[in-house]
Amino acid sequence: MRNFLPKISYFWLTLLISLYFTLIVNLPVLLHFYRILHALSAFKIGFALSIPVVLFAALNFVFTPLTFKPIFKPVFIILLLVSALAAYAQGVFNIVFDRGMIQNIAETQQSEATSYLNLSVVAWFTFTGILPALLLLKTPVIYNQTILKRLGVRVLSMLVSLALIGGVAALYYQDYSSVGRNNRTLNLEILPTNYLYSGFQYLNHKYLTEPLPYEKVGTDAALVQKAGQKPTLMFLVIGETGRAQNQSYNGYSRPTNAFTQQTPDMVFFNHVSSCGTATAVSVPCMFSDMKRIDFNNDRAHNSDSFLDIVQRAGVSVFWKDNDEGCKGVCDRVPNVIIDTPKDGKFCDGDTCYDAALLENLDGKIVDDGKNKLIGLHLIGSHGPAYYRRYPDNFRFFTPDCQRSDIENCSHEQLVNTYDNTVRYTDYVLTQVIAKARQYQDKYNVAMIYLSDHGESLGEDGFYLHGTPYSVAPPQQTHVPMMFWLSPQYVQAQGLSLSCLQAQAAKNDYSQDNLFHTVLDAMNVKTSAIDPSLDILQPCRTAQ
């Protein structure tokens, strides 16, 4: 078949690709840059005009070494395809591709990944990824110079790019420096260097770095329980993408906590901050003895979580997961990831409503006289397909957004959909409490609920979660936590419920508190407990 595309020199094709990446692929970062300038009281016109010029020169400098004939087309076809998807994520959801986000992508399950597919993504990917890649594939490229001359042209092109960048820097260094200092994610928004660099960091860290030796924590852990006292049955519920701002307990005007607010003995914590903005960080962090300020994910994955410690002390532990796995914290205790058969009740073949976690759970609560800790990991409010997190009879706030391309829904629809997920989670918590109450004759029962991170719903242009913590909005870091403690549990533990409720309303807490509080709540004593981080300690009336 005859090729009607004109022949083009590798040199000019490199410049065209650099221009395409500047104006089309990197349109989100250019728009972000100009939004920043628009918010300033004054800026230099020359500085504003120089931004795409500098970006073009920088991309040409990076791309030129990749233009040797054997690799030219394969490399840039891949970059065009991947960058198209990345540009969509950045432009629509304000996603930043740091190492943490690459980890989130790598650990995403298939059912979660498919929730991001919609007509908007397909259309964008087709027109900005597939079509340019096909065009490049079919374009005849001319290499009509000697090898040395082509090498010289490449070196000269890179030197000219550097000179151009240097010239702009000489004129506007202070302007670039000021914007960069106040907007530290800008360098992580430039495609494709952002995901290439962060991807290399992730691969190097995961596969090329020698793992830390495994460290046991709380080796002196022992179960200390009064003679004749009933054992404890604790349900530990880890939420997903729940943000505190949308909880009725926090003054939200909508009845998102309509179920638990009718449940006696609830304790809601108004001021709780997360350790991270993504599950891959927050869950290992909240289960470890490290604080957020010094948290190291490598060490967390190679040391005991509090599940290991309570199990070592003699507590029966079981973990059931309806999300994307436990991120290593349950690896050494009995655990199961919920199956998702199309049962017509809770599951559709790809995902399940969280009420499915309570199915077939009684077999794990045998009457053997042991303290028991049951971990339940919710899918909660995981987006962007929020509408798939609650059944039709929980479409309380309408109109809701019955699609995953949330950018095509109104803000009202988006908030309605998210609030429905919060309300359904609240319902599920009451079902967990109802399950616990079934065992009150044999156990002192309780429940702790804590979400892993929050969610952005379009505030300041941010959507979803995973923004670097240093610049993350409070919607992603302010999370709900609540306790339900049965009267028998409160009495056995020597606690004052009114004291806990008063402390929860006024004190600042974080996920740093969970490790120490759960150990104490399960009557496990160890030197690993920091009493200052134990929420229960100040409200004990009988020691």
Side-chain angles (χ1 to χ4, degrees):
M1 183 180 292
R2 186 178 174 184
N3 191 344
F4 292 97
L5 292 173
K7 296 179 181 179
I8 186 171
S9 163
Y10 72 94
F11 170 76
W12 290 109
L13 184 57
T14 305
L15 294 181
L16 283 175
I17 291 173
S18 300
L19 186 64
Y20 180 79
F21 270 81
T22 300
L23 299 180
I24 304 299
V25 175
N26 279 292
L27 182 60
V29 71
L30 289 177
L31 293 176
H32 186 193
F33 221 120
Y34 288 123
R35 284 196 301 270
I36 293 168
L37 296 188
H38 181 72
L40 300 176
S41 57
F43 60 87
K44 299 170 184 174
I45 297 299
F47 171 52
L49 294 175
S50 75
I51 293 167
V53 175
V54 169
L55 182 55
F56 170 78
L59 288 170
N60 183 64
F61 180 84
V62 172
F63 288 165
T64 297
L66 305 176
T67 60
F68 290 92
K69 188 174 182 178
I71 63 170
F72 194 156
K73 286 190 176 183
V75 166
F76 283 101
I77 286 172
I78 292 171
L79 290 180
L80 284 166
L81 295 174
V82 176
S83 297
L85 293 174
Y88 182 88
Q90 285 188 188
V92 174
F93 301 125
N94 238 348
I95 286 175
V96 176
F97 288 94
D98 61 352
R99 194 183 86 183
M101 183 56 67
I102 299 298
Q103 179 180 356
N104 295 336
I105 294 169
E107 296 180 3
T108 296
Q109 295 179 336
Q110 181 179 347
S111 60
E112 181 187 344
T114 55
S115 70
Y116 290 86
L117 292 177
N118 52 65
L119 288 176
S120 297
V121 174
V122 172
W124 177 272
F125 184 57
T126 299
F127 286 104
T128 67
I130 294 177
L131 291 181
L134 288 174
L135 191 62
L136 174 61
L137 178 65
K138 295 295 184 179
T139 297
V141 182
I142 302 172
Y143 296 88
N144 57 353
Q145 301 164 324
T146 65
I147 293 177
L148 286 179
K149 190 171 183 179
R150 291 199 297 268
L151 181 61
V153 169
R154 290 186 177 98
V155 170
L156 181 60
S157 179
M158 294 174 70
L159 290 175
V160 171
S161 295
L162 284 179
L164 191 57
I165 294 170
V168 172
L171 293 172
Y172 303 112
Y173 174 78
Q174 186 175 353
D175 303 271
Y176 277 99
S177 179
S178 175
V179 170
R181 281 197 306 269
N182 295 316
N183 302 274
R184 296 186 179 276
T185 65
L186 276 173
N187 64 315
L188 291 172
E189 296 177 32
I190 299 173
L191 295 162
T193 56
N194 55 356
Y195 65 77
L196 291 175
Y197 176 71
S198 298
F200 173 78
Q201 280 188 314
Y202 172 75
L203 292 173
N204 179 63
H205 180 77
K206 185 171 181 66
Y207 299 107
L208 304 178
T209 303
E210 186 175 349
L212 295 172
Y214 193 86
E215 177 185 355
K216 288 190 174 183
V217 180
T219 54
D220 59 344
L223 199 60
V224 178
Q225 197 155 316
K226 295 177 183 177
Q229 182 174 296
K230 286 193 293 186
T232 294
L233 171 60
M234 173 73 73
F235 285 88
L236 175 64
V237 184
I238 302 302
E240 171 64 62
T241 322
R243 69 184 208 171
Q245 179 176 316
N246 291 54
Q247 309 287 323
S248 303
Y249 289 108
N250 258 339
Y252 192 51
S253 61
R254 291 178 146 191
T256 51
N257 298 121
F259 300 97
T260 58
Q261 284 185 322
Q262 302 301 315
T263 304
D265 308 317
M266 294 299 300
V267 181
F268 184 85
F269 294 79
N270 294 79
H271 312 288
V272 182
S273 59
S274 67
C275 186
T277 61
T279 307
V281 174
S282 286
V283 169
C285 183
M286 72 170 82
F287 278 73
S288 80
D289 63 334
M290 289 176 281
K291 299 177 183 178
R292 186 191 73 80
I293 195 170
D294 61 357
F295 178 69
N296 182 299
N297 219 328
D298 288 337
R299 185 187 161 225
H301 281 278
N302 290 282
S303 63
D304 287 338
S305 73
F306 65 69
L307 296 182
D308 299 298
I309 298 173
V310 298
Q311 180 173 254
R312 186 184 304 129
V315 175
S316 176
V317 180
F318 176 68
W319 178 278
K320 194 171 185 180
D321 207 296
N322 190 34
D323 197 12
E324 50 189 34
C326 68
K327 306 306 179 186
V329 303
C330 68
D331 287 356
R332 294 163 296 278
V333 303
N335 68 86
V336 63
I337 294 179
I338 198 169
D339 195 11
T340 59
K342 191 172 184 179
D343 62 4
K345 185 179 181 182
F346 296 122
C347 306
D348 63 7
D350 292 320
T351 186
C352 295
Y353 302 129
D354 282 324
L357 285 164
L358 295 170
E359 294 285 285
N360 306 314
L361 200 59
D362 295 302
K364 301 299 179 181
I365 312 174
V366 295
D367 183 15
D368 56 5
K370 287 186 175 183
N371 284 13
K372 290 180 175 54
L373 179 62
I374 307 289
L376 302 176
H377 191 189
L378 307 182
I379 198 168
S381 303
H382 203 302
Y386 303 112
Y387 71 99
R388 300 185 71 187
R389 308 302 172 222
Y390 54 90
D392 283 342
N393 60 321
F394 277 85
R395 293 179 67 186
F396 185 82
F397 304 106
T398 56
D400 54 355
C401 179
Q402 292 283 310
R403 54 199 299 171
S404 62
D405 51 339
I406 55 177
E407 71 278 6
N408 291 317
C409 292
S410 69
H411 185 67
E412 177 193 11
Q413 290 174 311
L414 179 58
V415 173
N416 285 343
T417 313
Y418 182 82
D419 284 349
N420 284 336
T421 69
V422 176
R423 197 170 186 271
Y424 182 66
T425 293
D426 195 69
Y427 164 77
V428 170
L429 294 180
T430 61
Q431 299 309 295
V432 174
I433 292 169
K435 175 65 68 176
R437 282 177 171 154
Q438 294 176 12
Y439 293 91
Q440 285 189 112
D441 59 330
K442 297 181 176 65
Y443 295 90
N444 293 320
V445 295
M447 180 198 74
I448 291 176
Y449 165 77
L450 175 60
S451 185
D452 58 353
H453 53 77
E455 185 85 330
S456 287
L457 299 176
E459 298 87 1
D460 299 318
F462 286 96
Y463 290 88
L464 305 177
H465 54 268
T467 304
Y469 202 93
S470 60
V471 296
Q475 290 84 4
Q476 294 188 32
T477 59
H478 185 196
V479 293
M481 179 169 73
M482 62 181 83
F483 292 179
W484 174 79
L485 309 176
S486 68
Q488 296 89 342
Y489 178 88
V490 169
Q491 182 178 8
Q493 293 289 325
L495 292 168
S496 166
L497 189 65
S498 61
C499 169
L500 274 174
Q501 289 170 332
Q503 297 289 317
K506 68 179 182 180
N507 288 354
D508 290 334
Y509 296 99
S510 74
Q511 291 177 344
D512 293 346
N513 295 100
L514 189 68
F515 176 94
H516 312 274
T517 302
V518 170
L519 288 174
D520 188 19
M522 295 305 301
N523 298 112
V524 173
K525 305 304 176 186
T526 168
S527 58
I529 294 177
D530 182 345
S532 69
L533 293 174
D534 177 5
I535 294 173
L536 302 180
Q537 187 64 32
C539 293
R540 290 196 178 278
T541 59
Q543 301 295 327

